[in-house]
Amino acid sequence: MIPQEIWIWVGAILTLFIFSFLYGDNPFYRFAEHLYVGVSVGYTIAITWHNFFYPDLVVPLFKQGNLFYLIPFLLGILYFSIFFPKISWLIRIPMGFVLGYSSGVAIPAILQANIIKQMQGTFLTPDLLKRPDLILWGIVSLIGVVATVIYFFFSREQKGLTKGMANLGIIFLMIGFGASFGYTVMARVSLLLGRLQFLLRDWLGVIK
Amino acid sequence: MSFWEKLGKIDRKIIFLLMAVVIIIPLLSPLNLVGKVGRRTQELFRAIDNLPENSYLLITIDFDPQSMPELYPMYLAILRHAFAKNLRVIVTGLWVTGVGLGEDGLKTVAPEYNKVYGRDYVFLGWKPGITAVVLGMGRSMKETFPTDYYGTSYDSLPIFTKDITYRDIPFMVSLSAGVPGYETWIAYAQSRFGIRIGAGVTAVSAADAYPYLQSGQLTGLLGGMKAAAEYEFLNEKAGFTKAFKPASQLMDSQSLAHLVIMILVIIGNISYFALRRKR
């Protein structure tokens, strides 16, 4: 078995290869980038086989003889018909099945979670009105949502009250973008910090 | 070239170097800046803390190594909290490249609390299909995961006393770096089966998660490395762990880096407006 320290060295060297892009594009960076993509694909294939394909299809179908599993097996095989022009139309069968299933499942779920529940969350409900700590933000949210939606209402010329509300909507949008940008900065710095922690702690051992 | 022009055209390599210095110095010599624990972190901590002993806690690893610096410390902190409270932990995930991280976290934390695999915690690994997997767990955990990650059959795992569903799981946490992630669990597991969900997300997507708090769809939110550090602090304060706190170690550097970025943004704007006035 290869000792763990070797993998720390491999990780550290590959990290430095990737960091070398800060100076400019170079073969070391490209090597590490291609290696990452290759390893990810190989890893995905191995996990899919061991965690799904073998226990959930090969074992029940070929070892236990459960013929029900022939249906998903054949549907899966039909995906490969794309490589044979004469029968490539067969791919429509599994694609149709997957698209039909996905749409049927997704539409009501997304509608419920992302539209109905979100609208409910914007309303000033009696429960919210009882909470002095939440009521201010409840009102701000309601005004913000209405103003932003008005900004995106293009079916009529915006003038008078709608123009004012649309301008208010822009302010809310800008605050939202600012928050997203601030969080993005934090995320990117965090990624750098994570790698530096690995280099200084796990590899070089200069911090504890 | 005027001073303002020079200022607006600083070589990016100098900025990289400046950032590196600002980040490395606090790592070598910590400043011990004091932070405040956010309300959303406290909500998630309380939600897990209030679970009765031996309750199931579902943790989903919906991220990969690219988001490891932010989400992996959250995972370790939540695991420590769960094991300290003697919860039964079920770990799975919707990202195939997160499987190794899920396993690694359990192997790191479980021995600290003398937890036994199969009895106190289980790792179910990953299955393709996303919606089919999430919906399937609401109908039958056993049918969705006939075996765990290591190939042990569901019936042989003492942690499962029966074929459980979301009804048996009072709370779950999705550690999410994108799609599929906490939104998937909300859409399919919560809207259909009503499970309570908390989320840990990368800072990039934290702003997008706030509307789900307002609507009550999320119970608590950890946004980025700062929230991970807050959770580590709460764990230590409650006496649940004395283990190394990876996120907390980096917060001084994070704060200084933000300060430098803010200064650079201000300098850039001053330079821009000064040059515009000149023209």
Side-chain angles (χ1 to χ4, degrees), chain A residues 2 5 15 27 30 39 60 78 90 92 94 128 147 168 187 191 198:
Chain A
I2 302 169
E5 286 73 27
T15 302
R30 266 175 278 154
V39 167
L78 288 180
L90 283 170
R92 290 177 196 163
L128 191 73
L168 185 63
L191 298 186
F198 168 73

Side-chain angles (χ1 to χ4, degrees), chain B residues 52-75:
Chain B
E53 203 166 290
N54 283 323
S55 301
Y56 288 111
L57 174 69
L58 174 65
I59 303 175
T60 67
I61 309 299
D62 304 329
F63 66 97
D64 63 4
Q66 291 181 58
S67 315
M68 195 176 167
E70 291 184 279
L71 298 180
Y72 193 68
M74 289 181 196
Y75 177 45

Side-chain angles (χ1 to χ4, degrees), chain A residues 170-197:
Chain A
I170 292 173
I171 294 170
F172 274 97
L173 281 171
M174 289 302 144
I175 292 170
F177 293 147
S180 287
F181 177 69
Y183 267 123
T184 304
V185 169
M186 183 161 102
R188 300 303 175 231
V189 173
S190 299
L191 298 186
L192 173 63
L193 282 168
R195 281 295 82 193
L196 286 176
Q197 190 180 42

Side-chain angles (χ1 to χ4, degrees), chain A residues 51 56 113 118 183 190 197 208, chain B residues 100 126-127 203 217 249 254:
Chain A
N51 220 196
D56 290 2
Q118 286 297 305
Y183 267 123
S190 299
Q197 190 180 42
K208 286 187 178 178
Chain B
W126 167 88
K127 298 267 180 204
Q217 290 163 284
Q249 187 183 47
Q254 179 85 264

